[in-house]
Amino acid sequence: MKILVTGGSGFIGTNFIDLLEKKSCSIRNFDINEPKNTKHSRYFECVNINNYETLLRSMTDFQPDYVVHLAARTDLNGADLSSYLSNTRGVENILRCCKELPNVKRLILASTKLIVPNDAQVSDYTSYSPDTIYGKSKVIGEKIVESNKYFENWIIVRPTSIWGPWSLAEGNPYGKFFQMIKKGFYIHPAIVDQPRYFGYVENTCFQIYTLLVESPDNVLKQKFYLADYQIYDIKSWANLISAAFGRSSVWVLPKFFVYMAAFAGDLIKFFGYQFPPFSSFRLKNMISDTTKVPLTAVKQFVPKLPFDIKDGVKRTVTWINEHG
């Protein structure tokens, strides 16, 4: 079974290739960046998905049975949609290539929960109201897939807030979250206590693989949010991580100082520092109610996940301690 992973050098991609190795699949990783896990170098091919001719040539050479399209620009710093061509033109190129290759059985496109605001109530899978340029680019990508113009055996997944091993390797905020707790630098904002949906990355990869390979055909042309089925709050999670690192419970910052820290971050950004450690934007994301994400659809095909929160924390802490 040949599986092509685009963006396999990234956070989710690296973990997904680890899973594919356990499944004894034939693997190819198309990315413009070298694998973060050097053991994956034998699967790597430097391919820019925005170049159709190069992409078609490389896909024809590999002849994949399944395609998992993770490659994308995922930060929120792009000035306009032209900054996110990988999320639009790149998606179209992948679909065009799949149309030309008769062996491709299914394609999974990784989209994002940010096709609507972070705290939005998701009532259906076809309404879009992104409040970031990145989110708008992902909406365009989804619509290209849904058009069925090129390839019809598609599945769209929308990962939520994903964490786990290799998150530190590319600046994932939850990797930094673990590292700050390890060093004793994390102070929990007092107002951030409501339960939320997160996704441990190995569970996310398990969901993707199951939808891709092990689910019946009625999984096709559907969209799925990906998250753990267990809801947990950040403070309890932080204390669980702290205990795994052998530390005491995390400190709590009173509400007044939380708002002052957010204001200070906004002020720093106003004067030209692009990435303050804290800001009102980050605070808004932290206090957003993300329990409105519908998981009924994915549970239909993936009823049980292999890891709970304690397993995920233990495995992530072990990874961090081994890799520094």
Side-chain angles (χ1 to χ4, degrees):
M1 184 167 56
K2 294 183 176 181
I3 298 184
L4 168 64
V5 184
T6 70
S9 299
F11 165 44
I12 295 178
T14 300
N15 284 278
F16 190 65
I17 289 177
D18 282 340
L19 174 62
L20 294 182
E21 286 183 320
K22 297 172 185 175
K23 301 289 185 180
S24 300
C25 299
S26 178
I27 307 163
R28 191 70 58 89
N29 166 27
F30 288 177
D31 208 310
I32 58 174
N33 299 308
E34 293 279 342
K36 293 175 176 61
N37 185 344
T38 56
K39 295 178 182 178
H40 294 173
S41 296
R42 61 186 181 275
Y43 311 126
F44 173 71
E45 183 177 346
C46 186
V47 177
N48 187 337
I49 61 172
N50 292 332
N51 186 317
Y52 172 72
E53 289 76 17
T54 301
L55 179 62
L56 179 60
R57 185 164 55 249
S58 295
M59 287 185 67
T60 302
D61 176 66
F62 184 53
Q63 289 292 325
D65 299 306
Y66 299 93
V67 178
V68 177
H69 183 42
L70 302 174
R73 177 173 177 177
T74 58
D75 65 82
L76 304 180
N77 305 317
D80 51 43
L81 284 171
S82 65
S83 305
Y84 294 93
L85 289 180
S86 296
N87 304 355
T88 54
R89 180 190 298 169
V91 170
E92 187 169 20
N93 286 344
I94 287 287
L95 291 166
R96 290 174 64 191
C97 291
C98 287
K99 182 180 180 180
E100 297 297 322
L101 300 176
N103 289 348
V104 179
K105 298 177 178 66
R106 291 181 183 179
L107 161 75
I108 282 188
L109 168 74
S111 184
T112 176
K113 66 174 183 175
L114 295 180
I115 48 89
V116 296
N118 202 35
D119 57 352
Q121 172 70 56
V122 181
S123 56
D124 61 71
Y125 292 86
T126 58
S127 299
Y128 304 104
S129 55
D131 56 0
T132 64
I133 299 173
Y134 162 66
K136 291 177 182 178
S137 72
K138 283 296 194 176
V139 169
I140 294 172
E142 286 199 16
K143 289 183 176 180
I144 292 171
V145 173
E146 289 179 280
S147 71
N148 298 317
K149 182 179 179 181
Y150 301 109
F151 186 75
E152 295 190 356
N153 290 347
W154 54 264
I155 300 163
I156 292 174
V157 296
R158 296 171 177 170
T160 55
S161 301
I162 310 301
W163 59 278
W166 295 102
S167 56
L168 276 169
E170 63 172 27
N172 178 284
Y174 298 106
K176 296 177 182 178
F177 176 63
F178 271 76
Q179 195 75 314
M180 289 183 69
I181 294 173
K182 178 182 180 180
K183 296 177 180 179
F185 294 162
Y186 177 74
I187 302 176
H188 180 72
I191 59 175
V192 185
D193 292 322
Q194 68 277 11
R196 298 165 59 95
Y197 274 122
F198 294 91
Y200 175 59
V201 68
E202 291 188 274
N203 285 337
T204 304
C205 293
F206 179 79
Q207 289 169 320
I208 292 172
Y209 182 85
T210 304
L211 295 172
L212 181 73
V213 176
E214 298 181 347
S215 297
D217 285 344
N218 60 338
V219 77
L220 298 174
K221 295 185 181 180
Q222 291 201 48
K223 303 176 185 179
F224 302 93
Y225 281 87
L226 304 183
D228 292 346
Y229 305 151
Q230 176 184 6
I231 299 176
Y232 40 97
D233 67 89
I234 296 178
K235 183 181 177 183
S236 298
W237 182 30
N239 283 327
L240 192 63
I241 297 166
S242 189
F245 280 123
R247 304 190 66 92
S248 58
S249 299
V250 298
W251 292 87
V252 177
L253 185 67
K255 292 182 180 180
F256 172 78
F257 294 103
V258 174
Y259 288 111
M260 288 296 293
F263 175 77
D266 292 342
L267 196 62
I268 292 171
K269 190 170 184 178
F270 176 79
F271 284 107
Y273 184 73
Q274 194 172 7
F275 306 111
F278 197 65
S279 65
S280 57
F281 178 81
R282 284 199 62 196
L283 177 60
K284 179 178 181 293
N285 283 340
M286 293 178 75
I287 63 177
S288 296
D289 181 359
T290 65
T291 60
K292 302 171 184 177
V293 174
L295 296 176
T296 303
V298 71
K299 287 180 180 180
Q300 176 185 350
F301 296 97
V302 193
K304 188 175 181 180
L305 299 177
F307 303 101
D308 63 19
I309 184 174
K310 292 181 180 179
D311 297 327
V313 166
K314 182 178 179 180
R315 293 169 73 87
T316 304
V317 166
T318 298
W319 184 90
I320 291 173
N321 286 335
E322 290 177 351
H323 290 80

